[in-house]
Amino acid sequence: MSSKALKLVIPIIVVIVGIAAAAILASARKAPPRVDRPALGPLVEVLPVEVDDVPVVINGHGEVSARVTVDIVPQVAGQVVEVHPSMVAGGFFKAGEVLVVIDPRDYALAVERAQAAVARAKVTLEREQAEAEVAREEWNGLHPNEEPSALVIREPQIRQATAEYAAAEADLSVAKLNLERTKISVPFDGVVVSENVDIGQFVGNGSRLATVYGTDVVEVRVPLESREMAWFDVPSRGGGIGASAEVSASFGGTRSMWQGRVTRMEAQVDQTSRMVHVVIEVPKPYETSPDHPALLPGSFVDVRIFGRTQDDVVSVPRYAVREGERVWVFADGKLQIRDVTVLRADRQQALISSGLEDGDLVIISSLDAVTDGMTIRRVDAETEEAA
């Protein structure tokens, strides 16, 4: 055989031998055993629930305002001769402390003049009464069996003298009152918000000297939806005690809290937002400590109103309630879709009055598609098996 023919035959023989060897090896290999793996359901997080008595908590926001706001306005005119050291913005004072003194000399002289007028009027009245007694005695001596006329016994003169004496007494009271008004004070503990007065300044009747807030109580005005009013107590015209409340705010990165109470509901619905405004009073807002600041008017705060306790209900996160008032429950590796009755729901919490029992495992995970009875796995159970 020529060399050219060998070059063609040898590759063909090698290919045929390789194919035959591969076929022999393939026929000799055994197929691997078939293993049936169980179908694994999606992992879910669950929350054990229990039936309990749960107080309703209504969350809201509001702005702090002073319950008592007063403009200090003099009722008499004159030159300011004394100003309390606390009459500066942010200064505190006690009830009855004299904040501003107006020069009292003119008003003291007016009191003296009024006292002199009273004395004169009293003398005139006593003289007329004495002359009337003398006239009656003379008449009785001349006409023992006749009643004298009013002019004879000076009754008109006595009435005039009595009226003048009463007018003089009233003028004296006015003069004393004006003298008292030269010392300006307020009947409550307070803090100065702004002031516009100094020693030597002449002030007129009705000019505003300062604005002060009462420090005993502040108010927080909280807008709420009208349906929320059914869950807590508001004092009515007949009295009663309002629901307790907690006011909180952040100052300097620290959360501070104050205790308050619902005192009233405003008389109309807001025409723009259709909300009802509830007023909460917070006592002693200006008491401070190193870790507790004052609750100042103008601050925006968070409010929690503690309403009535609901008996035998289950509390779950709001997002655990699905559309149509349903919840998903984990039971023996299966997902159950339960119809429930939601008594109340807000952004954080839902109270369920029926449909769940003690020990039920409510699914709080989100799943794209669910069917009643589908296979699922608990996240905590998988973690225990891995451990």
Side-chain angles (χ1 to χ4, degrees), residues 15 41 56 85 113 214 239 310 335 337 379:
V15 172
V56 173
R113 287 194 298 269
Q310 304 301 311
L335 185 146
I337 299 178
V379 170

Side-chain angles (χ1 to χ4, degrees), residues 84-93 190-197 209-212:
H84 194 282
S86 295
M87 278 294 287
V88 292
F92 290 86
F93 57 86
V191 60
V192 179
V193 181
S194 62
E195 56 85 22
N196 184 30
V197 62
L209 305 184
T211 299
V212 299

Side-chain angles (χ1 to χ4, degrees), residues 341-382:
T341 301
V342 178
L343 185 64
R344 180 184 181 275
D346 57 23
R347 293 181 179 180
Q348 289 81 29
Q349 180 192 49
L351 298 181
I352 297 175
S353 59
S354 64
L356 292 176
E357 299 178 356
D358 275 330
D360 282 342
L361 301 177
V362 174
I363 300 171
I364 57 177
S365 300
S366 178
L367 298 175
D368 293 334
V370 298
T371 57
D372 193 16
M374 66 180 288
T375 300
I376 53 177
R377 294 174 295 157
R378 289 173 51 185
V379 170
D380 52 352
E382 294 292 327

Side-chain angles (χ1 to χ4, degrees), residues 232-235 239-245 260-264 306:
F232 63 94
D233 296 326
V234 179
I241 299 177
S244 60
R261 189 168 292 278
V262 176
T263 58
R264 68 182 187 276
F306 300 101

Side-chain angles (χ1 to χ4, degrees), residues 110-124:
V111 170
E112 293 180 5
R113 287 194 298 269
Q115 289 173 337
V118 169
R120 287 195 301 270
K122 185 176 181 180
V123 169
T124 300

Side-chain angles (χ1 to χ4, degrees), residues 16 43 71 79 100 115 148 161 199 238 242 250 260 316 349 381:
I16 294 172
L43 287 172
D71 289 334
Q79 187 179 39
V100 177
Q115 289 173 337
I199 294 177
S250 294
V316 298
Q349 180 192 49

